[in-house]
Amino acid sequence: MSKPLNVALLGCGAVGTDVVRLLIEHADDLAARIGAPLELAGIAVRRPEKVRDVPVDKSLFTADGKGLVTKEGIDLVIEVIGGIEPARSLILAAFENGASVVTANKALLAEDGGTLFAAAEKHGVDLYFEAAVGGAIPLVRPLRESLAGDKVHKVLGIVNGTTNYILDKMDSYGASYTEALDEATALGYAEPDPTADVEGFDAAAKAAILASLAFHTRVLASDVHREGITDVTATDVASAKAMGCVVKLLAIAELSEDNRVGVRVHPAMIPRSHPLASVREAYNAVFVESAAAGQLMFYGQGAGGAPTASAVLGDLVTVARNRVQGIRGIGESTYAQLEVHPMGDTRTRYHVSLDVDDKAGVLAAVADVFAQHDVSIQTVRQEGRGEDAQLVIVTHEAADAALSATVDDLRELDIVRDVSSLMRVEGE
Amino acid sequence: MSKPLNVALLGCGAVGTDVVRLLIEHADDLAARIGAPLELAGIAVRRPEKVRDVPVDKSLFTADGKGLVTKEGIDLVIEVIGGIEPARSLILAAFENGASVVTANKALLAEDGGTLFAAAEKHGVDLYFEAAVGGAIPLVRPLRESLAGDKVHKVLGIVNGTTNYILDKMDSYGASYTEALDEATALGYAEPDPTADVEGFDAAAKAAILASLAFHTRVLASDVHREGITDVTATDVASAKAMGCVVKLLAIAELSEDNRVGVRVHPAMIPRSHPLASVREAYNAVFVESAAAGQLMFYGQGAGGAPTASAVLGDLVTVARNRVQGIRGIGESTYAQLEVHPMGDTRTRYHVSLDVDDKAGVLAAVADVFAQHDVSIQTVRQEGRGEDAQLVIVTHEAADAALSATVDDLRELDIVRDVSSLMRVEGE
C-alpha cells in the first residue's frame, strides 16, 4: 500500500454530497483497488458555514477554492461545481499544482475542453470526465478505449433525463408540453428555470463531447445544431403515435459519406421498435453504430447525485491508480480533426402534417413543391374532409436544407392553411 | 511516432480473419491512436498452407505458434485460438518473452485465469480480455474501471447468442426446442455440436469472468451452478407467456446478504417489461445493479467475427499504448476473495405447474408440502378440470435448496401426476 493520496473536492451539492458519502463508505475497497488510501483534504463551497448532511469534520469546508487546489500535496481534484467559472480557473490551477482532475462539467468541456486538455498534457496529469455525459452510464470510457480499434459511424442518444421525462409523459398520457413540464418540475426532474434542459443546451454540450470522442475531432457546443422541445405539441406526439413512432429529444453525431462530422440535437420521431424508443422516464441511453462492432447500446441513469458520483469515483480510481504507478492515462485524441458540416448538409427525413383546402389538385400542388426541391416522398396519407382535411407526408432522406426550403415553400401555398406538425424522423 | 510494435496473431478463424482485416484497414487510425504503427509479425495456424481470404503475405503464416510468440521483438500477442491448450502454453510463453497479450478465450480464463494473471504480473506485461464476454459489448472495461468506485450487487445477463436465438424462436413461433435448434444450426447460429452453448458451458465461463470482475474475487467455471436449455419445453415457454414472462438463459452473479457470492447459469422466466426480455435473436445484453449507479444495461452483438475483432482491437490499442508509454494497465483484482456459496443457498423463486387429480383437498395437500419447507406461495392458479386439472404455482423468494426439496416432495404425492413445468423466476 502506497502513502495516502490527498483529494480536494470542489462543490458539495447533490453530486458532491454523494461523492463524500461513497469516499467514506467504500474507503477500504477504494484503497484496495487503488493501492493507496484516499484522504479528503478539503471541500470548497460557496457557503462553508451552511449545515450539510455530510459525515465529515466541518473544518474541511472552505470558501477558498483556489487556496485548496493550490495547497501543497494535493494529488487529486474532483470538480462538481459546474458552469464555466470559477470551475475552469480552479481546474487550471489544480493542473499547475500537479494534481489530476476528475470533472462532471459538460458545459465547460464543450466550451473550452481544448484549453483544459492542453494544460493537463503540459503538466503531465490526468483529466477524466465520465460523469459529464450519461451520468452513471459508462460511455466516455467505451468510446475512448473499447472502440479505439473500430470506426464509429454514428452516435444516437437520449442524453437529457428531464426532456425524456417530459416527452415520455406527453406520450403516455397525451399531456401537453406545459402539463408535462409542470409535473417534471413538481417531481424535481426539472429545475425551476428549465431552459438548459428544455432548450437542448445540456444535450448539445453532451453531443459535442460524444462527437469529439467518437470522431477524434474537437467539437464545441457551438458547433452543434440545437433545437429544444418547447415547440413539441400534443399533436406532434399524436402524429408520431399514428406512425408507430415516439418523439424523443435526440443527440446525434454522425460521419457523413464525405468524412465530415454532423452534430445535432433536436426532437425526432423514432419507431417504437427502436431500442431507444423504450427508454422511459428520466433514463438515458446511447446507441452507437460502428463498422465492426455493429450496434451497441448503453442504458442507465443519466443524472442524480449517486449515479453521477459513481461515475466520478470510477474515474477517481483510475487517475489515483495512475498516480500510484507514476503514469498518465490517455489524453485528448483529436488527431483526425475532421470538418464539422452545417445542419443544412445533414441527410435526414421529415414528417410534415399539412392542414389543406379540401379540393381537387391539392396533392398535385403539394407534391410539385417537393419535386422542385428534389425531395422524394416516401408516404402520403390524406385524412379528414372539408375543414379538417389533412395531408401527412413522410419524405425519403434528403439534405436538411432542401427539406427545410420545401417546408418554407409549402407555407406559401394558398391551399396550405397551416403546417400543423413538422418533425424529423430518425432511427430507421 | 514511436518505432513499430510487432504483433503476433494466434489463430485465424472467423475472429482472426477480421482482426487482420481491421489491422490493415484501420492501420493509420490505429497508429495515430497508439502513437506507433503496428506490424503483423506472423500468424500461427494449424494448417499454414490452407488458402485464406486474408490480405497478407503468405509467408506470415506458420504452424509454429511457440516459435512465433518467443521470437525476439514480439511486443503484442493476440490469442484467438480458444480452448485450453495450446492457448495457455502459448500465452505463458508470450509473457515469458515480455509480450502483452489480448485474448478472447473465456474457457481458459474461467478455468485457469489465476495462472495467467500471475504470469503477466511477474513479467510486468498486460493481459486484456474484453472479447471474452459479450463480444463487441464493452463489459470488462466498465466493470473493471468505470464501476471501480461503486459496489456492484448483481450482474444479470444474456451472454450466449445461440441459446437466446433458440429461446427467442420458441417464444415467437411456439417452436419446440428441437425445431428451434435445427433452425439455429441451419443459419449457422449453432455449431454442429451445440453442447457448449445449449448445456450452458459457454455462459458459465462468462458468468465466472463477470463474477470475478464484479466482486473482486476469483471465480472459476467450476464454481458456477450450470443448467442448459435442452430441457426447456414448448409448455414452459407457453407457461411463461401466460404469466407475462419470457424464458431466457440467464447468467447471474450476485452478492448475498452475508457478503458471499452466488454464480449460476440457468433458464428462467423474466417479465416482459424487463429490459432483458426484449433482447431478441442472437443479441446479448448484460444488466448491472450497483449501489450508487443503480441499473445499467449494455447491449450488442455477443459473437461473430467482426464484433469480437472490434473488442480485440480496442484492447490492443490500450496495451499497445501502455507499451509505448512503458507502463502496465490494471491487472487482476481479487483483493476481496469472497466465498462462493452453493446453489442451494441462493435466494430464488420457482414457477411450478402440476398435473393433478381433480378432487377436493388437492390444493390443501400441495400447500402443505410448501409449508413444510417454509416456502411461501405468491400465487396459485387452478386450470382445467378432470384429466387436465392443473395447478400453477409461483413462490415467494426462498433458498433454492428448500424450493428444490419442495418439488421433490410434490413428485411423491399421489395426487400429483406430473410436474409439467418447473422454472425459476427472475428479474422482478
Side-chain angles (χ1 to χ4, degrees), chain B residues 282-352:
Chain B
Y283 272 85
N284 284 16
V286 174
F287 205 72
V288 178
E289 285 178 17
S290 73
Q295 302 187 325
L296 297 170
M297 191 172 81
F298 304 86
Y299 166 96
Q301 292 186 62
T308 309
S310 169
V312 166
L313 285 199
D315 277 352
L316 194 71
V317 168
T318 302
V319 301
R321 207 152 38 190
N322 289 348
R323 195 113 188 142
V324 169
Q325 293 188 46
I327 61 169
R328 276 192 75 204
I330 40 170
E332 193 186 21
S333 172
T334 55
Y335 72 90
Q337 281 303 43
L338 302 175
E339 189 190 328
V340 179
H341 67 66
M343 184 62 193
D345 290 2
T346 300
R347 305 287 297 175
T348 177
R349 297 169 58 214
Y350 273 30
H351 167 280
V352 193

Side-chain angles (χ1 to χ4, degrees), chain B residues 73-143:
Chain B
I74 294 291
D75 298 288
L76 308 162
V77 172
I78 299 169
E79 187 272 305
V80 288
I81 308 174
I84 308 303
E85 284 296 345
R88 175 170 47 198
S89 305
L90 292 175
I91 291 175
L92 292 172
F95 289 154
E96 193 93 38
N97 189 28
S100 288
V101 172
V102 173
T103 180
N105 197 328
K106 60 217 142 214
L108 176 55
L109 287 169
E111 177 164 317
D112 199 16
T115 303
L116 301 183
F117 287 111
E121 180 85 33
K122 179 178 157 201
H123 295 287
V125 292
D126 281 333
L127 173 61
Y128 272 60
F129 54 99
E130 181 66 75
V133 192
I137 313 169
L139 281 173
V140 174
R141 215 178 280 258
L143 282 170

Side-chain angles (χ1 to χ4, degrees), chain A residues 120-317:
Chain A
E121 179 85 33
K122 180 179 158 200
H123 296 286
V125 292
D126 282 332
L127 172 61
Y128 272 59
F129 54 98
E130 182 66 76
V133 192
I137 312 169
L139 280 174
V140 173
R141 216 178 279 257
L143 281 169
R144 285 223 283 191
E145 304 179 35
S146 309
L147 289 167
D150 204 338
K151 189 178 170 92
V152 175
H153 293 146
K154 188 167 186 171
V155 179
L156 186 74
I158 294 169
V159 294
N160 180 274
T162 307
T163 49
N164 199 59
Y165 186 88
I166 293 171
L167 293 172
D168 186 33
K169 293 307 147 193
M170 291 177 73
D171 182 64
S172 308
Y173 313 145
S176 72
Y177 168 74
T178 316
E179 286 163 355
L181 172 61
D182 286 350
E183 186 184 328
T185 310
L187 291 169
Y189 285 123
E191 309 265 341
D193 174 1
T195 310
D197 292 318
V198 298
E199 295 292 1
F201 289 101
D202 175 80
K206 292 166 177 168
I209 295 170
L210 290 173
S212 301
L213 296 170
F215 306 124
H216 301 270
T217 290
R218 194 172 294 147
V219 178
L220 303 177
S222 53
D223 295 323
V224 181
H225 173 84
R226 178 187 51 76
E227 298 171 30
I229 64 161
T230 50
D231 293 335
V232 176
T233 63
T235 308
D236 293 327
V237 173
S239 300
K241 262 197 177 155
M243 275 180 60
C245 286
V246 56
V247 176
K248 294 289 186 191
L249 181 69
L250 297 181
I252 305 173
E254 64 194 328
L255 214 53
S256 62
E257 277 180 16
D258 59 358
N259 222 34
R260 293 187 297 159
V261 173
V263 195
R264 51 196 165 114
V265 167
H266 57 72
M269 298 181 179
I270 57 169
R272 287 196 186 262
S273 57
H274 193 284
L276 288 179
S278 51
V279 176
R280 308 292 301 273
E281 304 268 319
Y283 273 84
N284 284 15
V286 174
F287 205 72
V288 178
E289 285 178 17
S290 73
Q295 301 188 323
L296 298 169
M297 192 172 79
F298 304 86
Y299 167 96
Q301 292 183 63
T308 308
S310 168
V312 165
L313 285 199
D315 278 352
L316 193 71
V317 168

